[in-house]
Amino acid sequence: MARVIGTQVALGRLLVVLSAVAWSTAGIFTKGVEADVWTVLLWRGLLAGGVMSAWLMWRQGQAGLAECKRLGWAGWAAATVSSAATICFIAAFKNTAIANVVIIYATAPFAAVAMAWVWVREPPGFATLAAAALCLCGVTVMVGDSVGSPELIGDLLALGMTALMALMMVIMQRYPDRPMTLAVGPVSCFQLVAIAWIVGAQFNVSSRELFLLTGFGVIHAAATVLLAEAILRIRAAEAALIGALEVPLAALWGWLILSEIPGMRTVGGGIVVIVTLTWYLGREVRVRS
C-alpha cells in the first residue's frame, strides 16, 4: 500500500511539473502569432474547450457535462470572471513582456487572501501578510519601470487579470459544492468563443497561424487536465509550490525564443516575488504535512 501511495504522489508531482511547463508557453504562443487578441481567444477557446469537454466525458461520462445544470449563479460567476481574466491575460501578453505578466500573475494567491479577508472574513496570518507585502513591493518596482512606456498598458492588464483570477479563486473556495472544474474549463472557453465571435474575430487565418493557435489551444487544455489529475494525487499546497516553476520558465522562453530581455527593475522585482512565493508555499507544505 505504501508503495502504491508513493507512486501516486510521485506521479502527481510529475503531472504538476508537466502542467507548469505547458502553462509557461502561453506567452510565446500569444506573441508568436500576428492574430489579434479576439482571434487568439476564439481559436484557443474552441480547441481548449473541446479537449477539456472530451476529458470530462472520459472522466465522468455524460454526467460530467450534464453538471451544467448544477452550476448555479456561483458557477456561472466563476466562469464569467475566468473569461474576463483570460481576455486580460492574452491582451497583457500582446502589450508587455512575458516576464512582467507571469511575475505579476504569481501574486494572485495573495490577492485572493485579501479578497477572502473582506468577503468571507478569513483573517490571514502574519506570514501571509508579510509575504503579500513583499510581493506587492516587488510588483510595484516592476510596474514603476513601465511608467511612461507602452508596456504600462500590458502591466495594468496583468494586474487586472491577477485581481480577476483572485476573485475566481475566492468564488471557487466559497462554493465548493458547485462543478467549478466545468465552470472555469469548458464553460469559460465557450463563453470566450461566443464573445470573440460577436466582436468579429477571424476564422480565416494562415496555415502557420492555425498551426500555432491549434498548439496553443491543445497545450492550454493539456495543462488544465494535467493539473486537475495531479490534485487528485497530492495536496493543493504542494501543487502550488511546484507549479510556481511556471514563472521562471515563461521568462526563460521569452528570452530564448523571443529575445525579450527583462530590465533591471523587472529582474529585481521578479526576484522578490519569486523568492517570497517559494518561501511562503514551501512553508505551507511543511505546516500541512
Side-chain angles (χ1 to χ4, degrees):
M1 178 63 72
R3 177 177 294 181
V4 172
I5 294 174
T7 301
Q8 287 299 307
V9 170
L11 176 59
R13 290 168 177 166
L14 175 61
L15 291 174
V16 177
V17 170
L18 294 175
S19 175
V21 173
W23 280 120
S24 71
T25 63
I28 58 174
F29 273 111
T30 303
K31 285 179 172 286
V33 297
E34 296 179 2
D36 60 41
V37 170
W38 298 112
T39 300
V40 172
L41 289 167
L42 175 71
W43 283 100
R44 177 180 177 274
L46 276 174
L47 292 158
V51 172
M52 283 188 276
S53 296
W55 171 70
L56 280 173
M57 288 283 288
W58 173 74
R59 256 293 178 190
Q60 304 175 17
Q62 292 185 355
L65 298 181
E67 287 281 87
C68 279
K69 299 176 182 178
R70 294 186 51 251
L71 285 173
W73 78 265
W76 284 105
T80 302
V81 171
S82 174
S83 297
T86 303
I87 293 171
C88 291
F89 184 58
I90 299 301
F93 279 130
K94 289 288 191 181
N95 288 278
T96 192
I98 292 173
N100 290 37
V101 177
V102 294
I103 291 170
I104 291 171
Y105 174 54
T107 64
F110 301 110
V113 167
M115 289 185 184
W117 189 2
V118 174
W119 186 2
V120 295
R121 297 293 187 269
E122 286 186 0
F126 175 77
T128 302
L129 287 173
L134 285 170
C135 284
L136 180 61
C137 290
V139 169
T140 300
V141 169
M142 287 177 54
V143 175
D145 196 32
S146 299
V147 173
S149 75
E151 289 193 345
L152 180 59
I153 294 175
D155 287 355
L156 293 177
L157 284 166
L159 285 169
M161 176 265 296
T162 300
L164 288 165
M165 289 299 292
L167 177 58
M168 184 195 77
M169 292 176 192
V170 174
I171 294 173
M172 293 174 69
Q173 180 184 6
R174 184 73 176 80
Y175 299 95
D177 57 319
R178 300 299 176 182
M180 290 300 182
T181 300
L182 176 65
V184 302
V187 173
S188 177
C189 283
F190 292 131
Q191 272 188 345
L192 288 168
V193 170
I195 294 169
W197 180 75
I198 290 170
V199 300
Q202 298 296 313
F203 278 98
N204 187 21
V205 295
S206 68
S207 299
R208 174 187 177 277
E209 296 274 285
L210 180 59
F211 176 77
L212 291 173
L213 290 168
T214 300
F216 190 14
V218 172
I219 289 176
H220 166 73
T224 303
V225 170
L226 288 167
L227 184 59
E229 290 290 333
I231 294 298
L232 298 176
R233 296 168 172 83
I234 62 175
R235 296 185 303 277
E238 184 175 3
L241 176 61
I242 300 172
L245 177 66
E246 172 195 351
V247 178
L249 280 178
L252 178 63
W253 305 146
W255 174 46
L256 292 178
I257 298 174
L258 301 176
S259 300
E260 287 190 354
I261 302 176
M264 290 305 298
R265 292 184 68 171
T266 297
V267 172
I271 289 173
V272 171
V273 171
I274 293 171
V275 170
T276 301
L277 183 65
T278 303
W279 165 76
Y280 179 76
L281 292 175
R283 177 183 176 279
E284 287 291 294
V285 171
R286 291 192 299 273
V287 168
R288 298 185 186 190
S289 61

